[in-house]
Amino acid sequence: MKAFKLIIPVMLIVGIYSWMKMDKSYSEVPETSGILITIGAVIVSGVISFFLFPKNEGEKY
């Protein structure tokens, strides 16, 4: 459960940055495609964060 405290903010940051970048630098891309690209970036960043952040930080093996 601790991992989700880090995953959600990472996903939000990636989503906001992706939307801003799509709006500013790639204005010729249609809005629906930009939304789909942003959603894909958010999902991929969430999956990567899920596997990279430790799940049980204080637990020793």
Side-chain angles (χ1 to χ4, degrees):
M1 201 64 178
K2 282 187 176 183
F4 287 110
K5 290 181 183 177
L6 295 171
I7 293 172
I8 301 300
V10 167
M11 291 173 69
L12 289 174
I13 290 169
V14 168
I16 291 169
Y17 180 75
S18 172
W19 183 253
M20 288 172 41
K21 192 70 171 174
M22 289 294 297
D23 191 38
K24 184 185 276 187
S25 299
Y26 301 102
S27 59
E28 65 272 2
V29 175
E31 188 173 345
T32 54
S33 296
I35 291 171
L36 292 175
I37 291 169
T38 301
I39 291 171
V42 167
I43 291 171
V44 169
S45 69
V47 170
I48 290 172
S49 298
F50 179 76
F51 288 112
L52 288 180
F53 286 134
K55 291 165 188 57
N56 298 324
E57 197 169 293
E59 187 177 304
K60 292 185 178 180
Y61 295 99

